[in-house]
Amino acid sequence: MSNDTTTEPAQPPAPASPVKEPAASGLPSWAVQGLVSLSAIVLALVVGAILIIVGDDEVKAAVAYFGAAPQDTLSAALTAVGEAYKALAVGALGGLNPIAESLTQATPLICGGLAVSLAFRTGLFNIGAQGQLIIGAILAAYVGFAWHLPPVLHLVLAIVAGLIGGAIWGGVVGLLKARTGAHEVIVTIMLNYVAIYLLQWLLTTTAFKRPGREDPISPIVDSNAQYPQFGDTRLHVGFLLSLLAAVFVWWLLNRSTIGFELRAVGANADASRTAGMSVGRAYLVAMVVAGALAGLAGTQQVLGTDLPLTDGVAASIGFDAITVALLGRGTPLGTVLAGLLFGALNAGGLQMQLQTQTPLTLTTVLQAVIVLFVAAPALVRSVFRFLPKERGSGAVLAKGWNG
Amino acid sequence: MSDTTVQDTVREPAPAAIEAPADRVRRLRVGGLMLVFALIGLGLAIVTNGGKATFQLVSGDLQNNLLGVPAQPVAIFLGLLGLVAAGAYVVRRVPQKYSGWLAVVLGICFIGAFLCWAAAGKTFPLANQFQGTLNFATPLILGALAGVLCERAGVINIAIEGQFLVGAFTAAVVSSMTGSATAALIAAAVSGVLMASLLAVFSIKYLVNQVVLGVVLVVFASGITGYLFDQFLQEDAENLNTPTVLSAVKIPGLGDIPFVGPILFNQTILVYLTYLAVAVVTFVLFQTRWGLRVRAVGEHPKAADTVGIRVKRVRYSAVLWAGVLAGLGGAFFTVGYAGSFSKEMTAGNGFIALAALIMGRWHPIGAMVAALFFGFATQLQSQLQIIQTPIPGELLLMAPYLATVIAVAGLVGRVRAPKADGEPYVTE
């Protein structure tokens, strides 16, 4: 940019330089990310539509005489896709009850997702939300059905028990990583299995088994220890705690001193160590808090959604939480939004299975494809040419094994 | 810390050499852990009842080929031997390079003492134990080898579980449709390569974070196999989900060796392929030019690029070959063992293969040993449930996983992945 002052001194210093930043579009980065995510959802729905068409019985029947009447195949395909997606949408958002169900499904996913996100930002890959959730659920349920306390106090203590359980299970991982360098991926995977078998064993003991029942199920949690429900829906106060947890994680990461250390260690552990931070302590703190968050998800399952403790209490929440965290790009707000989306897909998927016999496994595919496309913005952009380019890579989590 | 590296390069450190503080801490920690195990082993020996422990050396044969030992004396002997090994490790009366063997001696003594305790007055099917170990370990070994290949080239492979699932699914379907074992195995390998190509394209071309990618591919594989199972296999199980389980092929000569022969050399083709894979991957990685290139792009892609190695091409080839191994590993679940496909039947074994790979320090042999360890512990758990011990079955089920945590925390410690593992390579 040449600003020749000798010839035209009166000229203002040319703020409208013709050469703008070439890569960045005019849109703020959150808007670009939003567009990419929306496009990813559209692409995922296309993939899902193909699977619905392939799997639909009437389409299969119409294909048999495709040569004679190809329009039959086409219309059968369109009907199948239309009906399935309509059921999905109605099941997720069509009215107060479906919305409440979507939020209920989202509740533990948000907390679990936060547990994975927080560890991620510290450079740890927490595959162990499942185990942490189970231990949290065990302790919360035990306090919930074995103790008998006044309202509010009982619920608070049960929640605290769940938080402690998860924190211990996560903390062990952080401690081992900090003290011995044991790889958190292995330790969390292994502790997931330990938690599952511990739960199965506990459900055979007299302390946990419901009297008069042979199957592995605990007594029902006292009503004083249950999360209050909203109206006649399954939605409970645990959902609000999920949102509070997200605010807390945002505050922790972006406003607190320890959060700064966590992010610094996550960005570059060696540099942080050189700068005088305790990397080991950061690992421990991150895993304790992550464990507590997963434990909170456990309390939401046993004190809100399910009530008795069973061996299926965790379902696949711990694992879904990883995809939620990935879709949310490790940020609290992103995790909440991703959790809501996945919750809606789960709730809608159940309705879709009920109405059109399209298996629930289809929503699993949808979720995976959405995350896959969101993680590869370049691919999405090669399909949708109009999408603006993002500033920076947007891949906050890109780092290797050695952290 | 620099002292240790200097020491390592000197040929044989003198026994009285000064020990770096970090090494001392590690020696005391590992030694302490070994002592604890030795004492538990001895404790078990003391409470062992006086009967005879019988070990069955040929599976199914309850009359002959039995090895009976007096349970308590043998257990006490093993317990003491383990204690000596652990003690020697702690006070370091042996040259450093043999100290790893002390851990092995202790491990064998501990397991021996444990078996004597569990089998006192009963018959323990030892042949089944080793047979089962190999069964459980086979897919783990293949999966871990796939991981070794990928990660040595600098691509993290968390998607082993997903590759297993599609391999298992495809093998089941192709075997049911064609009745041919060869076709089933080839199809499984091809499907593994297809999954691996997703991993390769998204990580190498689109630079997606590889940990993210791996997890997503697992979810994708579980979703897609689950969906196809729901929509097709369940409706038409007769034609689509009745695979023929591979039959065992006895190798003449080797298969007749007492005890070891039937266990190692009367197996399915898939198990022999696994032996071969371990040898080939080890050889190729460390003895061939391609292997050198793979390791180079995993450690320092930029340097490799500078000397003219095509980083991306090498990475693609390593990841795709890994897909072959993982696909075959998946085939083991259906045509190699269980028969029909069921949803999520790989049950986390891909993640355990991942753990084996990390425990084995990204080395094919190490990964195999870790996989065998895991197979041994898993099989031991089911055997002990059959012969009934005072320990509840669910707690026994935990044992392999707890053992892995202890092994990783206490014995393996800080592992180092290939330096560029997980970092996409961008040419400027």
Side-chain angles (χ1 to χ4, degrees), chain B residues 229-314:
Chain B
F229 176 83
D230 285 336
Q231 291 287 51
F232 294 96
L233 268 56
Q234 225 169 12
E235 288 178 18
D236 192 7
E238 210 169 303
N239 292 316
L240 294 175
N241 200 10
T242 44
T244 325
V245 178
L246 298 175
S247 49
V249 182
K250 188 172 165 185
I251 295 186
L254 288 173
D256 294 324
I257 304 170
F259 188 60
V260 188
I263 293 168
L264 288 180
F265 301 111
N266 187 13
Q267 292 287 358
T268 63
I269 177 88
L270 207 45
V271 176
Y272 297 133
L273 280 175
T274 307
Y275 300 158
L276 191 69
V278 174
V280 169
V281 171
T282 312
F283 176 81
V284 164
L285 263 185
F286 299 104
Q287 306 293 333
T288 66
R289 194 164 64 166
W290 183 75
L292 180 65
R293 288 180 172 178
V294 166
R295 288 181 291 134
V297 301
E299 284 292 335
H300 204 317
K302 199 160 192 177
D305 195 4
T306 316
V307 298
I309 297 172
R310 295 201 214 168
V311 175
K312 293 191 174 179
R313 182 187 284 202
V314 172

Side-chain angles (χ1 to χ4, degrees), chain B residues 286-362:
Chain B
F286 299 104
Q287 306 293 333
T288 66
R289 194 164 64 166
W290 183 75
L292 180 65
R293 288 180 172 178
V294 166
R295 288 181 291 134
V297 301
E299 284 292 335
H300 204 317
K302 199 160 192 177
D305 195 4
T306 316
V307 298
I309 297 172
R310 295 201 214 168
V311 175
K312 293 191 174 179
R313 182 187 284 202
V314 172
R315 284 191 169 172
Y316 270 111
S317 59
V319 174
L320 295 183
W321 277 111
V324 172
L325 295 174
L328 288 176
F332 183 85
F333 290 94
T334 46
V335 298
Y337 190 70
S340 62
F341 180 84
S342 56
K343 270 198 263 185
E344 298 190 27
M345 70 181 308
T346 55
N349 272 280
F351 290 100
I352 291 159
L354 181 74
L357 137 80
I358 299 176
M359 263 174 88
R361 301 180 178 213
W362 286 268

Side-chain angles (χ1 to χ4, degrees), chain A residues 47-48 51-57 60 120 125 127 172 176-183 185-187 189-191 193-195 197-201 204 273 319-320 322-323 326 353 357-362 364-365 367-369 371-373 375-379 382 395-402, chain B residues 29 151 156 158 198 202 206-213 215-224 226-228 230-232 235 343 347-349 351-352 354-359 362 374 392-395 397-398 400-402 404-405 408-410 412-424:
Chain A
V47 173
L51 284 175
I52 293 172
I53 292 168
V54 168
D56 188 75
D57 286 332
K60 279 184 229 167
F120 243 140
F125 192 44
I127 304 188
V172 167
L176 289 180
K177 170 98 178 169
R179 296 295 289 275
T180 72
H183 206 291
V185 168
I186 310 187
V187 179
I189 292 173
M190 295 303 145
L191 287 184
Y193 289 103
V194 174
Y197 293 123
L198 187 65
L199 172 60
Q200 287 183 1
W201 173 67
T204 65
R273 192 179 288 113
F319 212 73
D320 295 344
I322 301 174
T323 26
L326 298 178
Q353 185 169 31
Q357 283 77 49
T358 309
L360 198 56
T361 35
L362 184 76
T364 313
V365 180
Q367 291 170 349
V369 174
V371 181
L372 195 60
F373 283 137
L379 178 67
S382 69
V396 282
L397 312 166
K399 59 203 321 292
W401 256 163
N402 291 311
Chain B
R29 193 178 67 225
E151 304 210 352
I156 293 177
I158 293 194
L198 285 179
F202 277 92
Y206 290 109
L207 313 179
V208 175
N209 177 298
Q210 294 160 12
V211 172
V212 173
L213 184 58
V215 173
V216 175
L217 288 179
V218 173
V219 178
F220 179 71
S222 109
I224 204 107
Y227 182 78
L228 294 175
D230 285 336
Q231 291 287 51
F232 294 96
E235 288 178 18
K343 270 198 263 185
N349 272 280
F351 290 100
I352 291 159
L354 181 74
L357 137 80
I358 299 176
M359 263 174 88
W362 286 268
F374 209 88
E394 289 85 359
L395 293 187
L397 277 165
M398 276 186 214
Y401 306 103
L402 275 179
T404 309
V405 172
V408 168
V412 181
R414 217 167 288 275
V415 289
R416 199 190 71 84
K419 194 150 178 286
D421 200 4
E423 287 166 19

Side-chain angles (χ1 to χ4, degrees), chain A residues 20-89:
Chain A
K20 284 195 115 182
E21 278 182 86
S25 68
L27 290 170
S29 65
W30 63 263
V32 180
Q33 282 183 15
L35 274 177
V36 170
S37 302
L38 273 181
S39 312
I41 294 172
V42 171
L43 282 177
L45 290 176
V46 172
V47 173
I50 295 169
L51 284 175
I52 293 172
I53 292 168
V54 168
D56 188 75
D57 286 332
E58 277 163 36
V59 178
K60 279 184 229 167
V63 167
Y65 56 92
F66 182 80
Q71 69 276 14
D72 277 15
T73 309
L74 199 66
S75 71
L78 284 177
T79 318
V81 173
E83 280 178 359
Y85 280 162
K86 191 176 160 217
L88 180 77

Side-chain angles (χ1 to χ4, degrees), chain B residues 134-215:
Chain B
L134 194 59
N135 273 338
F136 280 116
T138 298
L140 297 180
I141 294 173
L142 286 168
L145 286 177
V148 168
L149 267 186
C150 279
E151 304 210 352
R152 281 284 181 163
V155 178
I156 293 177
N157 190 358
I158 293 194
I160 300 170
E161 175 86 357
Q163 294 161 348
F164 274 177
L165 269 176
V166 292
F169 178 88
T170 320
V173 172
V174 171
S175 171
S176 311
M177 284 166 63
T178 65
S180 153
T182 322
L185 291 184
I186 291 174
V190 169
S191 68
V193 171
L194 286 178
M195 278 299 290
S197 66
L198 285 179
L199 178 69
V201 170
F202 277 92
S203 66
I204 300 169
K205 180 158 188 234
Y206 290 109
L207 313 179
V208 175
N209 177 298
Q210 294 160 12
V211 172
V212 173
L213 184 58
V215 173

Side-chain angles (χ1 to χ4, degrees), chain A residues 144-145 147-152 154-155 220-228 303 307:
Chain A
F145 66 72
W147 299 5
H148 304 287
L149 297 165
V152 183
H154 199 174
L155 176 61
I220 290 180
V221 167
D222 276 14
S223 62
N224 286 350
Q226 293 173 11
Y227 283 113
L303 307 178
L307 302 175

